[in-house]
Amino acid sequence: MSKSSLPPLTWLRAFEATARHLSFTRAASELNLTQSAVSQHVRSLEAFLARDLFVRKARALELTEDGANYLPSLREAFDLISSSTQAFTGTDRGRNLILQCNMAFSVFWLASRLQRLYERCPWLVLNIVTPIWDPERHAANAAAEIRFGRLEDMSDAAVRLSRESFFPVCAPCYRDAASEFETATLFDCAGTTGTWASWFKTKGKPFSRTGEINLTSTYVIAITAALNGAGISMAHDTLAFDLLEKGDLIRPYGHSAPMTESYFLLSPSAHAQTPATRAFLNWMQEEVSLPSDLSGSRS
Amino acid sequence: MSKSSLPPLTWLRAFEATARHLSFTRAASELNLTQSAVSQHVRSLEAFLARDLFVRKARALELTEDGANYLPSLREAFDLISSSTQAFTGTDRGRNLILQCNMAFSVFWLASRLQRLYERCPWLVLNIVTPIWDPERHAANAAAEIRFGRLEDMSDAAVRLSRESFFPVCAPCYRDAASEFETATLFDCAGTTGTWASWFKTKGKPFSRTGEINLTSTYVIAITAALNGAGISMAHDTLAFDLLEKGDLIRPYGHSAPMTESYFLLSPSAHAQTPATRAFLNWMQEEVSLPSDLSGSRS
DNA sequence: GCTAGTGCATTAGAAAAACTAATGCAAAGG
DNA sequence: CCTTTGCATTAGTTTTTCTAATGCACTAGC
């Protein structure tokens, strides 16, 4: 077996037990090994890492800073392996679902619909992971993902949830300021094609403006700024639908443009779905058939 | 070594690689082993678990449901071990921060303040984990956590961020309906002491009402329902502050009561903090000194 | 139908890892 | 000074991991 980034579990277990007891002898007793074995495993691990994990004293050990840093992740990893291994004997699987989606979707679309999910699946334990500035990172234990992107970047299994249009939005109190475009404060969102420049392009006009545009890394920032009356933000159907219906946002200009990106549902293949995943996917499919603009565009 | 709940990592690695490739031969090539070794490891693991993880076909493997259920947790565990092992050699730690907090805090407090965080730390990669119906589960790789709870349930290291009052809120359009208390629709949130019953208790009145109360599992549902004009929800300072300032919510009754729970900041000890963690903690401490009601109550 | 290729399963033996018992050393306590 | 405690090291034993070879079943091509 080639040397890799994963030390043997045997060494890691010896380290974790020793860290708990701060004693090779007591750890060995717990693991039903000899003190010598535990000592050697920890020594091997330290050599592998080229770091000392314990300070050896006459009759006691102290964790080094490196040792203390290492410990929590290892404990969680052991818990994960242990609990999923025990899942073969236990029956309490299937309730937990980890869903990954971007924070804007979570805040502006999902949050206001959770009641319907709850009414339908009161047993569901939902964990939402919302990476903000690194949305490409797929949480390895996320069972389902709602991803915003272009069709060609998606796998064949991805289910398309929407066709988006994009357009500027602002708070009602900003309507007058929006009519003075040159002086209005503009917000854009990075990492999407639905920018001010491309919006003007679809109007057959070049986009030239002397004032700067505030470029944000997530639509949460841009749209919240608009909601707060700080300016005009680019937005698209799914995120803006509820806010427009409520009158919290208005569209100061009539034009809207088809967007390259849309929302997709990425789910495990059918034979790998837990009850929680299936329930969520079923609920999601019903939700997109409601008028919420995860079902069609308004262009 | 005694038989335990943790199978050898060797077996788990063989399983994970095989599940990825759906081929013992290709997995063996990746692991620099022979097909025979991988086949035996997976066989050993299946025997250990008393379950089949793959369906063997003539020239291909298919994951069983058991295999597919096992896989995500193992992947995460490997990631945890791998990343914490690499922390000894790598230098690219420090940008990523995993923050755990409840979704209501994320939606009603944090989201509208992210711009200030971004302006201050544009390099920060923030991942927010927001468990909804299992908030006690601490993500072990979460570097920091903002927890809603009682002081006595907190460790000594927890930093108290707020002192909360709780009170009913509703949308402005619901003001008239709120004056007819017996027929108004009420929302409560489970798992907190800030209930309708305890609110009446602080008014020195027994709470007796014939109509039912909608009990929700997260303040996101209850408060969003109130925002939508569906009724009156219990809320507390930190969640309600922005919404009250904006006029999206009003307080239909004047009385507010001190709440047992408040928000706490749980962070790693100083010597285990990455640059990202320190930056976030510093920003957080400045934010709580602003008038946002993560700084004091209004009772 | 036959042959060649593919890929998993099994076997027997080799190599490596894990483990033990014994011993050495240092520090602490009486 | 002597005894106890506990980690480190050594040499040998045991167990696990791994390999090469072979068998079996299926598929594709002729």
Side-chain angles (χ1 to χ4, degrees):
Chain A
M1 185 165 178
S2 68
K3 182 162 181 174
S4 69
S5 62
L6 296 184
L9 189 59
T10 310
W11 300 355
L12 300 177
R13 289 195 72 204
F15 163 66
E16 194 274 331
T18 304
R20 220 178 327 119
H21 291 281
L22 290 180
S23 159
F24 288 138
T25 307
R26 290 200 295 275
S29 179
E30 173 187 313
L31 299 172
N32 288 315
L33 298 179
T34 60
Q35 165 266 323
S36 165
V38 175
S39 177
Q40 285 174 60
H41 292 329
V42 171
R43 193 84 256 178
S44 299
L45 182 58
E46 286 173 323
F48 181 90
L49 300 174
R51 298 289 178 89
D52 281 346
L53 301 175
F54 293 105
V55 179
R56 273 71 162 179
K57 298 182 165 238
R59 295 198 181 183
L61 302 175
E62 284 181 2
L63 267 175
T64 61
E65 178 174 341
D66 286 330
N69 286 339
Y70 206 25
L71 196 55
S73 301
L74 290 189
R75 284 208 173 123
E76 174 70 10
F78 288 156
D79 282 348
L80 280 171
I81 298 174
S82 180
S83 61
S84 45
T85 302
Q86 279 164 16
F88 290 104
T89 54
T91 54
D92 188 24
R93 60 175 181 172
R95 285 182 66 215
N96 287 277
L97 169 64
I98 300 183
L99 169 72
Q100 177 172 337
C101 61
N102 68 54
M103 194 169 183
F105 183 81
S106 171
V107 169
F108 296 127
W109 194 88
L110 186 56
S112 61
R113 288 161 176 81
L114 284 174
Q115 185 171 2
R116 288 206 283 269
L117 177 61
Y118 176 65
E119 284 166 0
R120 185 184 174 126
C121 318
W123 48 268
L124 184 64
V125 176
L126 182 63
N127 293 274
I128 304 184
V129 181
T130 56
I132 300 190
W133 289 302
D134 192 9
E136 299 303 314
R137 180 182 176 222
H138 178 66
N141 58 349
E145 182 182 348
I146 294 173
R147 190 179 291 176
F148 183 65
R150 299 177 306 175
L151 176 62
E152 52 265 38
D153 294 332
M154 300 295 158
S155 66
D156 287 349
V159 176
R160 188 168 188 166
L161 298 177
S162 68
R163 291 174 192 276
E164 304 284 342
S165 301
F166 67 102
F167 41 81
V169 293
C170 69
C173 64
Y174 204 79
R175 183 192 302 265
D176 290 346
S179 60
E180 307 286 349
F181 183 74
E182 283 297 328
T183 56
T185 303
L186 305 185
F187 292 92
D188 234 346
C189 186
T192 171
T193 58
T195 59
W196 281 100
S198 54
W199 187 71
F200 268 94
K201 195 168 183 181
T202 63
K203 287 177 60 173
K205 295 189 193 174
F207 179 54
S208 65
R209 187 175 184 269
T210 54
E212 292 188 341
I213 306 190
N214 295 280
L215 187 63
T216 68
S217 64
T218 168
Y219 273 114
V220 174
I221 298 176
I223 294 180
T224 302
L227 282 167
N228 293 339
I232 320 172
S233 166
M234 271 301 165
H236 50 267
D237 295 319
T238 292
L239 300 187
F241 180 79
D242 290 347
L243 296 168
L244 290 169
E245 292 281 298
K246 283 162 60 185
D248 288 343
L249 288 180
I250 58 166
R251 300 170 62 167
Y253 318 116
H255 180 64
S256 71
M259 196 172 196
T260 310
E261 297 96 336
S262 52
Y263 286 92
F264 294 84
L265 182 58
L266 282 66
S267 59
S269 56
H271 72 264
Q273 288 169 6
T274 63
T277 309
R278 278 193 292 268
F280 178 79
L281 297 179
N282 290 340
W283 173 80
M284 196 69 210
Q285 280 170 3
E286 289 200 12
E287 283 294 320
V288 300
S289 64
L290 298 179
S292 64
D293 258 354
L294 211 54
S295 59
S297 73
R298 291 171 174 267
S299 59
Chain B
M1 185 163 175
S2 68
K3 182 161 183 177
S4 69
S5 62
L6 297 184
L9 188 59
T10 308
W11 299 356
L12 299 178
R13 289 194 73 202
F15 164 65
E16 193 276 329
T18 303
R20 216 178 329 114
H21 291 283
L22 288 179
S23 160
F24 289 137
T25 306
R26 291 200 295 277
S29 179
E30 176 188 313
L31 299 172
N32 289 314
L33 297 179
T34 60
Q35 166 266 322
S36 163
V38 176
S39 176
Q40 287 174 58
H41 292 329
V42 170
R43 193 84 256 178
S44 299
L45 182 57
E46 285 173 323
F48 182 90
L49 300 174
R51 298 289 178 91
D52 281 344
L53 301 175
F54 294 104
V55 180
R56 271 74 162 181
K57 299 185 163 235
R59 294 206 181 177
L61 302 174
E62 284 181 2
L63 267 174
T64 62
E65 181 172 341
D66 286 331
N69 287 338
Y70 205 27
L71 195 56
S73 302
L74 291 189
R75 284 209 173 123
E76 178 69 13
F78 288 154
D79 281 348
L80 280 172
I81 298 175
S82 180
S83 61
S84 44
T85 302
Q86 276 164 20
F88 291 105
T89 54
T91 55
D92 189 23
R93 62 175 181 173
R95 284 184 67 215
N96 287 278
L97 170 63
I98 300 181
L99 170 72
Q100 177 172 336
C101 60
N102 68 56
M103 194 167 182
F105 182 82
S106 169
V107 169
F108 296 126
W109 194 88
L110 185 56
S112 61
R113 288 162 177 81
L114 284 175
Q115 185 171 2
R116 286 206 283 271
L117 178 60
Y118 176 64
E119 284 166 359
R120 185 181 174 130
C121 318
W123 48 269
L124 185 64
V125 176
L126 182 63
N127 292 273
I128 303 185
V129 180
T130 57
I132 299 192
W133 290 303
D134 193 7
E136 297 304 313
R137 180 182 178 219
H138 177 67
N141 59 349
E145 182 184 348
I146 294 171
R147 190 179 292 177
F148 184 65
R150 301 176 307 176
L151 177 61
E152 52 265 39
D153 293 333
M154 299 296 159
S155 67
D156 286 350
V159 176
R160 188 167 187 166
L161 298 177
S162 69
R163 293 175 190 276
E164 303 285 342
S165 300
F166 68 102
F167 40 83
V169 292
C170 69
C173 63
Y174 205 80
R175 182 193 302 266
D176 289 348
S179 61
E180 308 286 351
F181 182 74
E182 283 297 326
T183 55
T185 302
L186 306 185
F187 293 92
D188 233 347
C189 186
T192 170
T193 58
T195 60
W196 281 99
S198 53
W199 187 72
F200 269 91
K201 196 168 181 180
T202 62
K203 287 175 60 169
K205 294 189 194 175
F207 178 54
S208 65
R209 187 175 184 269
T210 54
E212 293 188 341
I213 306 191
N214 295 281
L215 186 64
T216 67
S217 63
T218 168
Y219 273 114
V220 174
I221 299 176
I223 294 180
T224 302
L227 282 167
N228 292 339
I232 321 172
S233 167
M234 271 300 163
H236 51 265
D237 295 319
T238 293
L239 299 186
F241 178 80
D242 290 347
L243 296 167
L244 289 168
E245 292 280 300
K246 285 162 60 181
D248 288 343
L249 288 179
I250 60 167
R251 300 170 62 166
Y253 319 115
H255 181 63
S256 71
M259 197 170 195
T260 311
E261 296 97 337
S262 51
Y263 287 93
F264 294 85
L265 181 57
L266 283 65
S267 58
S269 56
H271 71 265
Q273 288 171 6
T274 62
T277 309
R278 277 192 291 271
F280 178 79
L281 297 179
N282 291 340
W283 173 79
M284 196 69 211
Q285 280 171 1
E286 289 199 9
E287 282 295 321
V288 300
S289 65
L290 299 178
S292 62
D293 260 353
L294 211 50
S295 59
S297 73
R298 292 173 175 264
S299 57

